[in-house]
Amino acid sequence: MVASRRGSGSITLPTGQTMAIHTRTHEEEDLPHATKKTMADHLRKYESLFTLTPQRMRMIVEAFKDSLELGLQKPKQVVPMIPTFVFGWPTGQESGDFLALDLGGTNLRVCLVTLQGEGKFEMTQTKYRLTEEQKQDEGTKLFDFCAECLKTFIDTNFTDEDGNSLLKPGELLPLGFTFSYPCYQTRIDHGELIRWTKGFGVKNTEGRDVAEMFRQSIEKYELPVQMTALINDTTGTLIASHYVNPKTKIAVIFGTGCNAAYMEDVKNIEKINDLGINEKDQMAINCEWGAFDSFEHEHLPRTKYDIIVDETSNKPGEQAFEKLISGRYLGEILRLVICELIDEGVLFLGQETYKLETPYVFETAFLSLMESDPTDELLMIIGIFTHFFAVETTLAERQFFRALAMLIGRRAARLSACGIAAIVGKMGYLDEGCLVGADGSLYNKYPGFADRVHEGLIDVFGEKGNNIKTVHAEDGSGVGSAIIAAMTKVRRDAGLYPNV
Protein backbone atom coordinates (compact mmCIF):
# COMPACT_ATOMS: atom_id res chain seq x y z
CA MET A 1 0.00 0.00 0.00
CA VAL A 2 1.45 3.34 -1.06
CA ALA A 3 1.38 6.05 1.59
CA SER A 4 -1.60 8.32 1.15
CA ARG A 5 -1.48 12.07 0.87
CA ARG A 6 -4.01 14.10 2.76
CA GLY A 7 -5.10 17.52 1.66
CA SER A 8 -7.58 20.03 3.00
CA GLY A 9 -8.72 23.46 1.99
CA SER A 10 -11.76 25.34 0.79
CA ILE A 11 -13.12 26.46 -2.54
CA THR A 12 -15.47 29.36 -3.35
CA LEU A 13 -18.09 28.22 -5.84
CA PRO A 14 -19.49 30.43 -8.64
CA THR A 15 -22.67 30.72 -6.53
CA GLY A 16 -20.66 32.40 -3.75
CA GLN A 17 -20.87 29.42 -1.39
CA THR A 18 -17.72 28.10 0.28
CA MET A 19 -17.06 24.37 0.08
CA ALA A 20 -14.59 22.67 2.44
CA ILE A 21 -12.33 19.99 0.94
CA HIS A 22 -10.90 17.08 2.88
CA THR A 23 -9.32 14.74 0.39
CA ARG A 24 -7.26 11.60 0.51
CA THR A 25 -5.57 10.45 -2.69
CA HIS A 26 -3.05 7.82 -3.76
CA GLU A 27 -0.54 7.91 -6.55
CA GLU A 28 -1.32 4.22 -7.25
CA GLU A 29 -5.05 3.70 -6.78
CA ASP A 30 -7.33 0.79 -7.63
CA LEU A 31 -8.63 2.81 -10.59
CA PRO A 32 -6.38 3.05 -13.67
CA HIS A 33 -5.06 6.58 -14.27
CA ALA A 34 -3.03 8.29 -16.95
CA THR A 35 0.66 8.59 -16.18
CA LYS A 36 2.55 11.85 -15.96
CA LYS A 37 4.31 11.06 -19.27
CA THR A 38 1.00 10.33 -21.02
CA MET A 39 -0.45 13.65 -19.88
CA ALA A 40 2.71 15.52 -20.94
CA ASP A 41 2.48 13.99 -24.42
CA HIS A 42 -1.14 15.10 -24.74
CA LEU A 43 -0.35 18.57 -23.45
CA ARG A 44 2.20 19.10 -26.24
CA LYS A 45 -0.54 18.41 -28.80
CA TYR A 46 -2.87 20.98 -27.22
CA GLU A 47 -0.07 23.53 -26.92
CA SER A 48 0.36 23.46 -30.70
CA LEU A 49 -3.43 23.74 -31.21
CA PHE A 50 -4.13 26.62 -28.82
CA THR A 51 -0.93 28.71 -29.07
CA LEU A 52 -1.08 31.91 -31.10
CA THR A 53 2.23 33.16 -32.53
CA PRO A 54 2.99 36.89 -32.92
CA GLN A 55 3.08 36.45 -36.69
CA ARG A 56 -0.38 34.88 -36.74
CA MET A 57 -1.66 37.64 -34.46
CA ARG A 58 -0.43 40.34 -36.84
CA MET A 59 -2.21 38.61 -39.74
CA ILE A 60 -5.44 38.53 -37.72
CA VAL A 61 -5.05 42.25 -36.88
CA GLU A 62 -4.77 43.17 -40.58
CA ALA A 63 -7.86 41.14 -41.47
CA PHE A 64 -9.67 42.70 -38.49
CA LYS A 65 -8.85 46.23 -39.69
CA ASP A 66 -10.25 45.40 -43.14
CA SER A 67 -13.49 44.17 -41.53
CA LEU A 68 -13.81 47.37 -39.47
CA GLU A 69 -13.35 49.55 -42.57
CA LEU A 70 -15.86 47.53 -44.58
CA GLY A 71 -18.43 47.85 -41.79
CA LEU A 72 -18.09 51.66 -41.89
CA GLN A 73 -18.48 51.80 -45.68
CA LYS A 74 -21.50 49.54 -46.23
CA PRO A 75 -24.54 48.51 -44.16
CA LYS A 76 -25.23 44.92 -43.09
CA GLN A 77 -21.63 43.69 -43.04
CA VAL A 78 -20.37 40.80 -40.89
CA VAL A 79 -18.83 43.25 -38.41
CA PRO A 80 -21.66 45.80 -38.58
CA MET A 81 -19.86 48.88 -37.10
CA ILE A 82 -23.11 50.35 -35.83
CA PRO A 83 -23.43 54.17 -35.68
CA THR A 84 -24.80 54.91 -32.19
CA PHE A 85 -25.88 58.55 -32.63
CA VAL A 86 -23.92 59.34 -29.50
CA PHE A 87 -22.10 62.45 -30.68
CA GLY A 88 -18.68 63.37 -29.30
CA TRP A 89 -17.16 63.00 -25.87
CA PRO A 90 -18.79 64.10 -22.60
CA THR A 91 -17.50 67.38 -21.15
CA GLY A 92 -17.30 65.93 -17.62
CA GLN A 93 -19.71 68.65 -16.45
CA GLU A 94 -22.96 66.77 -17.19
CA SER A 95 -25.24 66.75 -14.13
CA GLY A 96 -28.70 65.73 -12.89
CA ASP A 97 -30.71 62.62 -11.94
CA PHE A 98 -31.18 59.90 -14.56
CA LEU A 99 -32.52 56.34 -14.62
CA ALA A 100 -30.71 53.55 -16.41
CA LEU A 101 -32.10 50.12 -17.20
CA ASP A 102 -29.52 47.54 -18.25
CA LEU A 103 -30.58 44.31 -19.96
CA GLY A 104 -27.37 42.26 -19.87
CA GLY A 105 -26.49 38.63 -20.50
CA THR A 106 -27.18 37.43 -16.95
CA ASN A 107 -28.99 40.16 -15.01
CA LEU A 108 -31.46 42.97 -15.44
CA ARG A 109 -30.25 46.02 -13.53
CA VAL A 110 -32.08 49.25 -12.70
CA CYS A 111 -30.00 52.27 -11.59
CA LEU A 112 -30.61 55.79 -10.37
CA VAL A 113 -27.55 57.84 -11.29
CA THR A 114 -26.88 61.33 -9.96
CA LEU A 115 -24.27 63.05 -12.13
CA GLN A 116 -22.41 65.67 -10.11
CA GLY A 117 -20.11 67.16 -12.77
CA GLU A 118 -16.29 67.17 -12.70
CA GLY A 119 -16.30 63.46 -13.61
CA LYS A 120 -18.14 62.52 -10.39
CA PHE A 121 -21.36 60.60 -9.78
CA GLU A 122 -23.43 58.67 -7.23
CA MET A 123 -25.52 55.60 -7.98
CA THR A 124 -28.26 53.44 -6.41
CA GLN A 125 -29.02 50.14 -8.12
CA THR A 126 -31.01 46.90 -7.90
CA LYS A 127 -30.32 43.68 -9.82
CA TYR A 128 -32.88 41.12 -10.98
CA ARG A 129 -31.77 37.66 -12.19
CA LEU A 130 -32.87 36.56 -15.67
CA THR A 131 -33.98 32.94 -15.96
CA GLU A 132 -33.01 30.72 -18.90
CA GLU A 133 -36.74 30.53 -19.77
CA GLN A 134 -36.97 34.32 -20.03
CA LYS A 135 -34.02 34.32 -22.45
CA GLN A 136 -36.01 32.11 -24.86
CA ASP A 137 -39.56 33.42 -24.23
CA GLU A 138 -41.75 35.88 -26.16
CA GLY A 139 -40.37 39.40 -26.66
CA THR A 140 -43.39 41.13 -25.09
CA LYS A 141 -42.98 39.02 -21.94
CA LEU A 142 -39.31 40.01 -21.62
CA PHE A 143 -40.02 43.73 -21.96
CA ASP A 144 -43.01 43.49 -19.60
CA PHE A 145 -40.64 41.94 -17.04
CA CYS A 146 -38.25 44.89 -17.56
CA ALA A 147 -41.13 47.31 -16.96
CA GLU A 148 -42.25 45.41 -13.82
CA CYS A 149 -38.75 45.63 -12.35
CA LEU A 150 -38.56 49.33 -13.25
CA LYS A 151 -41.91 49.91 -11.51
CA THR A 152 -40.68 48.13 -8.36
CA PHE A 153 -37.51 50.27 -8.37
CA ILE A 154 -39.41 53.56 -8.83
CA ASP A 155 -41.94 52.62 -6.14
CA THR A 156 -39.06 51.87 -3.76
CA ASN A 157 -36.88 54.92 -4.51
CA PHE A 158 -39.41 57.65 -5.32
CA THR A 159 -41.99 57.31 -2.52
CA ASP A 160 -42.01 58.71 1.01
CA GLU A 161 -42.63 56.74 4.22
CA ASP A 162 -46.39 56.99 3.70
CA GLY A 163 -46.19 55.58 0.18
CA ASN A 164 -46.79 58.91 -1.58
CA SER A 165 -44.90 59.64 -4.79
CA LEU A 166 -42.01 62.13 -4.54
CA LEU A 167 -42.45 63.04 -8.21
CA LYS A 168 -44.38 66.13 -9.27
CA PRO A 169 -47.64 65.54 -11.19
CA GLY A 170 -46.77 64.81 -14.82
CA GLU A 171 -43.01 64.61 -14.09
CA LEU A 172 -41.19 62.08 -16.28
CA LEU A 173 -37.84 60.59 -15.30
CA PRO A 174 -35.35 60.47 -18.20
CA LEU A 175 -34.20 56.89 -18.84
CA GLY A 176 -31.25 55.47 -20.73
CA PHE A 177 -32.01 51.89 -21.86
CA THR A 178 -28.84 49.82 -22.10
CA PHE A 179 -29.56 47.00 -24.54
CA SER A 180 -26.40 44.98 -25.06
CA TYR A 181 -27.28 43.28 -28.34
CA PRO A 182 -26.60 44.43 -31.91
CA CYS A 183 -29.19 46.85 -33.29
CA TYR A 184 -29.42 49.03 -36.40
CA GLN A 185 -29.98 52.62 -35.30
CA THR A 186 -30.90 55.68 -37.34
CA ARG A 187 -31.53 57.75 -34.23
CA ILE A 188 -30.63 57.47 -30.58
CA ASP A 189 -34.03 56.42 -29.23
CA HIS A 190 -34.70 53.68 -31.78
CA GLY A 191 -33.03 50.33 -32.49
CA GLU A 192 -33.92 47.42 -34.76
CA LEU A 193 -32.54 44.18 -33.30
CA ILE A 194 -30.17 42.51 -35.77
CA ARG A 195 -29.72 39.27 -33.81
CA TRP A 196 -29.56 37.98 -30.29
CA THR A 197 -26.15 37.04 -28.84
CA LYS A 198 -24.95 35.59 -25.48
CA GLY A 199 -27.25 32.59 -25.79
CA PHE A 200 -30.49 34.61 -25.97
CA GLY A 201 -33.20 33.46 -28.38
CA VAL A 202 -36.21 35.64 -27.46
CA LYS A 203 -39.00 35.12 -30.00
CA ASN A 204 -40.61 37.73 -32.25
CA THR A 205 -37.97 40.40 -31.67
CA GLU A 206 -35.26 40.12 -34.37
CA GLY A 207 -35.90 42.75 -37.05
CA ARG A 208 -38.20 44.76 -34.74
CA ASP A 209 -37.68 48.07 -32.94
CA VAL A 210 -36.88 46.95 -29.38
CA ALA A 211 -37.04 50.53 -28.09
CA GLU A 212 -40.65 50.76 -29.26
CA MET A 213 -41.46 47.35 -27.74
CA PHE A 214 -40.09 48.53 -24.40
CA ARG A 215 -41.98 51.84 -24.70
CA GLN A 216 -45.23 49.88 -25.06
CA SER A 217 -44.42 47.95 -21.86
CA ILE A 218 -43.66 51.26 -20.07
CA GLU A 219 -47.06 52.59 -21.17
CA LYS A 220 -48.81 49.35 -20.14
CA TYR A 221 -47.49 49.76 -16.59
CA GLU A 222 -48.11 53.56 -16.65
CA LEU A 223 -44.58 54.38 -15.53
CA PRO A 224 -43.48 58.04 -15.08
CA VAL A 225 -40.56 57.52 -17.45
CA GLN A 226 -39.35 58.93 -20.76
CA MET A 227 -36.89 56.70 -22.59
CA THR A 228 -34.44 59.13 -24.18
CA ALA A 229 -31.69 56.85 -25.45
CA LEU A 230 -31.13 53.22 -26.49
CA ILE A 231 -27.51 52.41 -25.73
CA ASN A 232 -25.18 49.47 -26.08
CA ASP A 233 -23.27 48.68 -22.87
CA THR A 234 -19.93 48.99 -24.68
CA THR A 235 -20.80 52.49 -25.92
CA GLY A 236 -21.84 53.37 -22.37
CA THR A 237 -18.53 52.03 -21.07
CA LEU A 238 -16.64 54.22 -23.57
CA ILE A 239 -18.50 57.37 -22.50
CA ALA A 240 -18.41 56.65 -18.73
CA SER A 241 -14.68 55.85 -18.79
CA HIS A 242 -13.89 59.03 -20.76
CA TYR A 243 -16.09 61.07 -18.37
CA VAL A 244 -13.82 59.96 -15.50
CA ASN A 245 -10.52 59.86 -17.47
CA PRO A 246 -10.36 61.70 -20.82
CA LYS A 247 -7.33 59.63 -21.94
CA THR A 248 -9.73 56.73 -22.61
CA LYS A 249 -10.25 56.34 -26.37
CA ILE A 250 -11.53 52.73 -26.66
CA ALA A 251 -13.84 50.57 -24.57
CA VAL A 252 -13.95 46.77 -24.61
CA ILE A 253 -16.14 44.18 -22.90
CA PHE A 254 -14.84 40.68 -22.21
CA GLY A 255 -17.59 38.83 -20.37
CA THR A 256 -20.50 36.60 -21.38
CA GLY A 257 -20.10 38.21 -24.79
CA CYS A 258 -17.38 40.45 -26.22
CA ASN A 259 -17.47 43.83 -27.94
CA ALA A 260 -15.69 47.15 -28.48
CA ALA A 261 -16.60 50.80 -29.06
CA TYR A 262 -14.58 53.86 -30.05
CA MET A 263 -15.13 57.40 -31.37
CA GLU A 264 -15.05 57.81 -35.17
CA ASP A 265 -15.05 60.89 -37.42
CA VAL A 266 -18.46 61.15 -39.13
CA LYS A 267 -16.72 61.76 -42.48
CA ASN A 268 -15.30 58.21 -42.28
CA ILE A 269 -18.72 56.58 -41.74
CA GLU A 270 -19.58 56.44 -45.44
CA LYS A 271 -22.80 54.46 -45.01
CA ILE A 272 -24.56 57.38 -43.24
CA ASN A 273 -23.46 60.12 -45.66
CA ASP A 274 -27.08 60.61 -46.76
CA LEU A 275 -28.25 61.65 -43.27
CA GLY A 276 -26.76 65.11 -43.62
CA ILE A 277 -24.79 65.01 -40.36
CA ASN A 278 -21.99 67.57 -39.99
CA GLU A 279 -18.81 65.88 -41.25
CA LYS A 280 -16.79 67.61 -38.53
CA ASP A 281 -18.76 65.77 -35.82
CA GLN A 282 -17.59 62.61 -34.15
CA MET A 283 -19.82 59.65 -33.36
CA ALA A 284 -19.31 56.61 -31.15
CA ILE A 285 -19.24 53.34 -33.09
CA ASN A 286 -20.48 50.09 -31.56
CA CYS A 287 -18.32 47.57 -33.42
CA GLU A 288 -20.15 44.34 -32.48
CA TRP A 289 -16.84 42.66 -33.19
CA GLY A 290 -17.92 39.30 -31.76
CA ALA A 291 -19.07 38.60 -35.34
CA PHE A 292 -15.57 38.98 -36.86
CA ASP A 293 -14.76 36.14 -39.29
CA SER A 294 -18.26 34.66 -39.02
CA PHE A 295 -19.67 32.48 -41.84
CA GLU A 296 -16.46 32.38 -43.96
CA HIS A 297 -14.05 31.42 -41.12
CA GLU A 298 -10.95 32.53 -43.04
CA HIS A 299 -8.79 34.18 -40.37
CA LEU A 300 -9.30 32.82 -36.85
CA PRO A 301 -7.44 29.69 -35.68
CA ARG A 302 -10.42 27.43 -34.95
CA THR A 303 -9.76 23.97 -33.52
CA LYS A 304 -12.16 21.03 -33.90
CA TYR A 305 -13.44 21.83 -30.40
CA ASP A 306 -14.29 25.40 -31.47
CA ILE A 307 -16.12 24.01 -34.50
CA ILE A 308 -18.20 21.71 -32.26
CA VAL A 309 -19.04 24.67 -29.98
CA ASP A 310 -20.13 26.63 -33.06
CA GLU A 311 -22.14 23.87 -34.75
CA THR A 312 -24.03 22.94 -31.56
CA SER A 313 -24.75 26.57 -30.58
CA ASN A 314 -28.09 28.28 -31.09
CA LYS A 315 -26.48 30.41 -33.83
CA PRO A 316 -24.19 28.17 -35.95
CA GLY A 317 -21.74 30.08 -38.13
CA GLU A 318 -22.33 33.38 -36.27
CA GLN A 319 -20.29 35.22 -33.60
CA ALA A 320 -17.08 33.38 -34.57
CA PHE A 321 -14.74 35.70 -32.62
CA GLU A 322 -16.99 35.67 -29.54
CA LYS A 323 -17.01 31.87 -29.46
CA LEU A 324 -13.21 31.78 -29.09
CA ILE A 325 -12.89 34.39 -26.36
CA SER A 326 -16.06 34.96 -24.35
CA GLY A 327 -16.75 33.63 -20.89
CA ARG A 328 -19.78 31.76 -22.13
CA TYR A 329 -17.69 29.33 -24.18
CA LEU A 330 -14.23 28.79 -22.59
CA GLY A 331 -15.42 26.20 -20.09
CA GLU A 332 -17.22 24.30 -22.83
CA ILE A 333 -14.04 24.19 -24.98
CA LEU A 334 -12.16 22.62 -22.07
CA ARG A 335 -15.01 20.17 -21.39
CA LEU A 336 -14.90 18.98 -25.01
CA VAL A 337 -11.16 18.24 -24.74
CA ILE A 338 -11.73 16.29 -21.52
CA CYS A 339 -14.58 14.30 -23.12
CA GLU A 340 -12.38 13.43 -26.10
CA LEU A 341 -9.69 12.09 -23.75
CA ILE A 342 -12.33 10.10 -21.86
CA ASP A 343 -13.51 8.58 -25.17
CA GLU A 344 -9.90 7.73 -26.06
CA GLY A 345 -9.49 5.88 -22.77
CA VAL A 346 -6.90 8.34 -21.40
CA LEU A 347 -8.88 9.81 -18.47
CA PHE A 348 -11.12 8.43 -15.71
CA LEU A 349 -11.09 4.75 -16.77
CA GLY A 350 -13.48 2.73 -14.64
CA GLN A 351 -15.21 5.85 -13.30
CA GLU A 352 -18.69 7.16 -14.03
CA THR A 353 -18.20 10.29 -16.16
CA TYR A 354 -21.80 11.00 -17.22
CA LYS A 355 -21.83 14.29 -15.26
CA LEU A 356 -19.18 15.65 -17.63
CA GLU A 357 -21.23 14.78 -20.71
CA THR A 358 -23.75 17.62 -20.38
CA PRO A 359 -22.86 20.63 -22.60
CA TYR A 360 -21.87 23.80 -20.71
CA VAL A 361 -21.74 22.01 -17.35
CA PHE A 362 -18.07 22.99 -17.03
CA GLU A 363 -18.25 26.70 -16.22
CA THR A 364 -15.57 29.21 -17.19
CA ALA A 365 -15.44 30.10 -13.47
CA PHE A 366 -13.89 26.65 -12.95
CA LEU A 367 -11.03 27.61 -15.30
CA SER A 368 -10.42 30.73 -13.17
CA LEU A 369 -10.29 28.59 -10.02
CA MET A 370 -8.00 26.01 -11.65
CA GLU A 371 -5.54 28.67 -12.81
CA SER A 372 -5.48 30.40 -9.42
CA ASP A 373 -5.14 27.22 -7.29
CA PRO A 374 -2.20 28.06 -4.95
CA THR A 375 -1.72 24.57 -3.46
CA ASP A 376 0.98 22.06 -4.42
CA GLU A 377 -1.60 19.28 -4.52
CA LEU A 378 -4.03 21.46 -6.55
CA LEU A 379 -6.78 21.02 -3.98
CA MET A 380 -9.22 23.36 -5.73
CA ILE A 381 -9.09 21.17 -8.82
CA ILE A 382 -9.70 18.08 -6.65
CA GLY A 383 -12.72 19.91 -5.24
CA ILE A 384 -14.13 20.81 -8.65
CA PHE A 385 -13.90 17.28 -10.05
CA THR A 386 -15.06 15.44 -6.93
CA HIS A 387 -17.83 17.84 -5.89
CA PHE A 388 -19.34 18.63 -9.29
CA PHE A 389 -18.45 15.59 -11.39
CA ALA A 390 -17.83 12.79 -8.85
CA VAL A 391 -14.51 11.68 -10.37
CA GLU A 392 -11.11 11.11 -8.75
CA THR A 393 -8.00 12.72 -10.23
CA THR A 394 -4.24 12.23 -9.89
CA LEU A 395 -1.79 15.08 -9.49
CA ALA A 396 -0.55 14.52 -13.08
CA GLU A 397 -4.11 14.87 -14.38
CA ARG A 398 -4.75 17.98 -12.31
CA GLN A 399 -1.55 19.59 -13.59
CA PHE A 400 -2.70 18.78 -17.11
CA PHE A 401 -6.15 20.33 -16.52
CA ARG A 402 -4.59 23.52 -15.17
CA ALA A 403 -2.16 23.75 -18.09
CA LEU A 404 -5.05 23.23 -20.52
CA ALA A 405 -7.09 25.96 -18.80
CA MET A 406 -4.09 28.30 -19.15
CA LEU A 407 -3.79 27.54 -22.87
CA ILE A 408 -7.48 28.25 -23.52
CA GLY A 409 -7.49 31.37 -21.30
CA ARG A 410 -4.27 32.70 -22.84
CA ARG A 411 -5.55 32.21 -26.39
CA ALA A 412 -8.72 34.16 -25.49
CA ALA A 413 -6.68 37.06 -24.10
CA ARG A 414 -4.30 37.17 -27.09
CA LEU A 415 -7.17 37.15 -29.56
CA SER A 416 -8.76 39.96 -27.53
CA ALA A 417 -5.50 41.90 -27.94
CA CYS A 418 -5.81 41.47 -31.74
CA GLY A 419 -9.17 43.28 -31.68
CA ILE A 420 -7.78 46.15 -29.60
CA ALA A 421 -4.73 46.37 -31.87
CA ALA A 422 -6.97 46.64 -34.96
CA ILE A 423 -8.74 49.74 -33.59
CA VAL A 424 -5.47 51.26 -32.33
CA GLY A 425 -3.87 50.73 -35.75
CA LYS A 426 -6.88 52.02 -37.67
CA MET A 427 -7.15 55.21 -35.58
CA GLY A 428 -3.40 55.88 -35.30
CA TYR A 429 -3.35 55.82 -31.48
CA LEU A 430 -0.08 53.88 -31.13
CA ASP A 431 2.46 56.74 -30.95
CA GLU A 432 0.47 59.05 -28.66
CA GLY A 433 -0.87 56.13 -26.64
CA CYS A 434 -4.29 55.76 -25.04
CA LEU A 435 -6.22 54.01 -22.31
CA VAL A 436 -8.62 51.19 -23.10
CA GLY A 437 -11.50 50.96 -20.64
CA ALA A 438 -12.10 47.22 -20.14
CA ASP A 439 -14.99 45.53 -18.37
CA GLY A 440 -16.69 42.15 -18.10
CA SER A 441 -16.28 39.06 -15.94
CA LEU A 442 -13.33 37.64 -17.90
CA TYR A 443 -11.32 40.85 -17.64
CA ASN A 444 -12.24 41.48 -14.01
CA LYS A 445 -12.15 37.97 -12.56
CA TYR A 446 -10.07 35.65 -14.74
CA PRO A 447 -6.53 35.49 -13.29
CA GLY A 448 -3.87 37.02 -15.55
CA PHE A 449 -6.29 37.95 -18.34
CA ALA A 450 -5.32 41.64 -18.38
CA ASP A 451 -1.58 40.82 -18.28
CA ARG A 452 -1.99 38.42 -21.21
CA VAL A 453 -3.83 41.08 -23.24
CA HIS A 454 -0.90 43.43 -22.55
CA GLU A 455 1.63 40.76 -23.63
CA GLY A 456 -0.41 40.29 -26.80
CA LEU A 457 -0.28 44.01 -27.62
CA ILE A 458 3.50 43.98 -27.25
CA ASP A 459 3.72 40.90 -29.50
CA VAL A 460 1.75 42.78 -32.17
CA PHE A 461 3.33 46.25 -31.85
CA GLY A 462 6.71 45.63 -30.21
CA GLU A 463 7.76 47.95 -27.37
CA LYS A 464 5.29 50.62 -28.52
CA GLY A 465 2.56 48.26 -27.34
CA ASN A 466 3.36 49.64 -23.85
CA ASN A 467 1.69 52.91 -24.95
CA ILE A 468 -1.69 51.15 -24.97
CA LYS A 469 -2.90 50.33 -21.47
CA THR A 470 -6.08 48.57 -20.45
CA VAL A 471 -7.71 49.85 -17.26
CA HIS A 472 -10.80 48.82 -15.34
CA ALA A 473 -13.65 50.63 -17.02
CA GLU A 474 -16.30 52.70 -15.37
CA ASP A 475 -19.82 51.29 -15.21
CA GLY A 476 -21.00 51.73 -18.78
CA SER A 477 -24.44 50.22 -18.62
CA GLY A 478 -25.45 52.31 -15.59
CA VAL A 479 -23.36 55.50 -15.35
CA GLY A 480 -22.57 55.59 -19.08
CA SER A 481 -26.23 55.24 -19.93
CA ALA A 482 -27.06 58.20 -17.65
CA ILE A 483 -24.29 60.39 -19.12
CA ILE A 484 -25.52 59.64 -22.65
CA ALA A 485 -29.08 60.50 -21.60
CA ALA A 486 -27.70 63.81 -20.29
CA MET A 487 -25.65 64.48 -23.46
CA THR A 488 -28.72 63.64 -25.57
CA LYS A 489 -30.87 66.12 -23.66
CA VAL A 490 -28.33 68.93 -24.22
CA ARG A 491 -28.07 68.14 -27.93
CA ARG A 492 -31.81 67.75 -28.40
CA ASP A 493 -32.50 71.06 -26.58
CA ALA A 494 -30.08 72.69 -29.03
CA GLY A 495 -31.96 71.16 -32.01
CA LEU A 496 -28.91 69.21 -33.19
CA TYR A 497 -30.37 65.71 -33.64
CA PRO A 498 -30.94 64.41 -37.18
CA ASN A 499 -34.10 62.44 -38.04
CA VAL A 500 -35.73 62.99 -34.64
Side-chain angles (χ1 to χ4, degrees):
M1 183 86 171
V2 176
S4 69
R5 288 192 319 273
R6 293 176 187 275
S8 64
S10 65
I11 175 174
T12 303
L13 308 180
T15 58
Q17 299 166 291
T18 301
M19 176 182 76
I21 310 164
H22 301 287
T23 309
R24 182 172 172 167
T25 61
H26 297 273
E27 282 296 358
E28 302 291 335
E29 294 172 338
D30 297 331
L31 298 168
H33 279 277
T35 64
K36 193 165 187 176
K37 181 180 183 307
T38 308
M39 298 321 299
D41 289 342
H42 282 286
L43 186 59
R44 274 194 290 277
K45 178 178 91 174
Y46 295 113
E47 280 173 347
S48 64
L49 281 175
F50 288 106
T51 298
L52 210 55
T53 64
Q55 183 184 8
R56 184 69 189 269
M57 290 175 74
R58 286 190 281 271
M59 290 167 65
I60 291 168
V61 169
E62 289 307 310
F64 219 126
K65 281 200 283 194
D66 290 344
S67 289
L68 301 181
E69 293 288 2
L70 194 60
L72 290 174
Q73 290 165 15
K74 300 174 185 175
K76 304 200 175 181
Q77 297 303 301
V78 172
V79 178
M81 302 296 281
I82 298 165
T84 63
F85 296 85
V86 174
F87 288 94
W89 298 111
T91 62
Q93 300 309 310
E94 290 79 6
S95 60
D97 288 339
F98 298 88
L99 286 173
L101 186 135
D102 169 26
L103 182 65
T106 311
N107 297 308
L108 173 72
R109 188 167 62 120
V110 185
C111 312
L112 170 62
V113 183
T114 302
L115 300 176
Q116 300 166 320
E118 297 181 2
K120 295 178 181 152
F121 59 86
E122 284 183 356
M123 182 170 71
T124 305
Q125 64 174 345
T126 306
K127 285 184 181 179
Y128 306 88
R129 188 85 178 176
L130 290 166
T131 66
E132 288 305 314
E133 290 75 24
Q134 284 171 318
K135 295 179 187 181
Q136 310 300 328
D137 212 333
E138 284 288 325
T140 49
K141 286 188 181 177
L142 178 66
F143 292 115
D144 281 356
F145 174 71
C146 292
E148 283 173 27
C149 296
L150 188 55
K151 183 179 190 312
T152 304
F153 184 85
I154 292 169
D155 289 347
T156 304
N157 290 280
F158 290 92
T159 51
D160 60 21
E161 292 173 359
D162 300 322
N164 300 313
S165 175
L166 297 173
L167 298 173
K168 298 170 190 161
E171 183 181 355
L172 294 178
L173 295 162
L175 170 80
F177 180 25
T178 305
F179 186 77
S180 307
Y181 306 90
C183 292
Y184 282 121
Q185 289 187 268
T186 53
R187 56 180 196 261
I188 196 146
D189 56 357
H190 147 97
E192 183 185 301
L193 178 63
I194 299 170
R195 62 179 167 272
W196 287 107
T197 57
K198 304 175 196 171
F200 270 67
V202 178
K203 300 175 188 70
N204 299 316
T205 44
E206 291 185 353
R208 294 180 64 185
D209 182 353
V210 288
E212 184 55 38
M213 290 179 78
F214 183 42
R215 260 192 215 98
Q216 288 170 8
S217 294
I218 289 171
E219 287 171 14
K220 186 191 292 187
Y221 286 85
E222 299 180 340
L223 301 181
V225 164
Q226 180 181 23
M227 196 188 85
T228 57
L230 180 74
I231 301 145
N232 183 277
D233 61 341
T234 319
T235 310
T237 300
L238 177 70
I239 296 301
S241 297
H242 190 277
Y243 179 78
V244 173
N245 189 333
K247 290 180 183 173
T248 309
K249 299 285 180 70
I250 300 168
V252 289
I253 306 285
F254 302 123
T256 318
C258 68
N259 198 11
Y262 73 102
M263 195 66 68
E264 183 60 88
D265 295 327
V266 166
K267 67 175 185 288
N268 294 331
I269 314 170
E270 292 178 31
K271 64 186 176 185
I272 60 167
N273 279 352
D274 59 334
L275 295 183
I277 302 168
N278 189 335
E279 284 201 346
K280 292 178 182 174
D281 280 351
Q282 287 190 307
M283 186 191 293
I285 295 291
N286 164 25
C287 300
E288 291 297 343
W289 74 6
F292 170 63
D293 202 35
S294 292
F295 308 111
E296 300 296 327
H297 306 302
E298 294 175 325
H299 306 292
L300 293 172
R302 297 201 311 164
T303 66
K304 61 182 172 182
Y305 317 104
D306 301 307
I307 292 167
I308 293 168
V309 165
D310 180 34
E311 290 177 349
T312 57
S313 71
N314 67 336
K315 300 273 187 179
E318 298 182 27
Q319 298 302 104
F321 189 54
E322 179 178 296
K323 285 170 182 165
L324 298 187
I325 70 174
S326 97
R328 178 171 175 79
Y329 301 103
L330 300 188
E332 177 64 2
I333 295 167
L334 189 138
R335 188 194 71 85
L336 288 168
V337 174
I338 290 173
C339 286
E340 179 182 69
L341 292 172
I342 291 170
D343 292 343
E344 291 175 0
V346 176
L347 292 174
F348 309 136
L349 277 172
Q351 300 191 63
E352 288 287 350
T353 56
Y354 68 92
K355 288 188 175 181
L356 278 160
E357 288 163 16
T358 307
Y360 294 93
V361 74
F362 207 97
E363 298 180 23
T364 298
F366 293 160
L367 276 70
S368 298
L369 290 167
M370 288 160 74
E371 283 216 45
S372 58
D373 192 334
T375 63
D376 292 341
E377 299 295 327
L378 300 179
L379 298 175
M380 279 189 178
I381 301 178
I382 293 175
I384 290 167
F385 280 92
T386 55
H387 184 82
F388 292 98
F389 307 111
V391 290
E392 295 291 321
T393 56
T394 63
L395 182 58
E397 288 165 346
R398 295 193 294 277
Q399 288 168 336
F400 169 78
F401 295 142
R402 178 156 76 169
L404 188 59
M406 290 175 78
L407 285 172
I408 293 168
R410 186 167 184 259
R411 183 186 69 161
R414 289 170 72 77
L415 284 169
S416 301
C418 291
I420 295 170
I423 296 177
V424 167
K426 182 199 170 310
M427 297 303 293
Y429 291 151
L430 186 59
D431 288 335
E432 63 180 289
C434 73
L435 297 182
V436 179
D439 204 354
S441 53
L442 261 189
Y443 184 83
N444 293 331
K445 296 178 182 175
Y446 199 102
F449 191 88
D451 292 338
R452 289 167 178 168
V453 169
H454 184 66
E455 286 168 14
L457 289 168
I458 291 171
D459 276 349
V460 172
F461 291 127
E463 280 304 305
K464 280 190 177 178
N466 284 311
N467 295 347
I468 311 301
K469 292 185 171 61
T470 65
V471 293
H472 285 284
E474 295 301 323
D475 169 27
S477 46
V479 178
S481 186
I483 297 166
I484 291 168
M487 290 166 65
T488 303
K489 184 176 183 302
V490 169
R491 196 171 170 90
R492 183 168 278 138
D493 290 349
L496 294 173
Y497 263 106
N499 294 355
V500 179

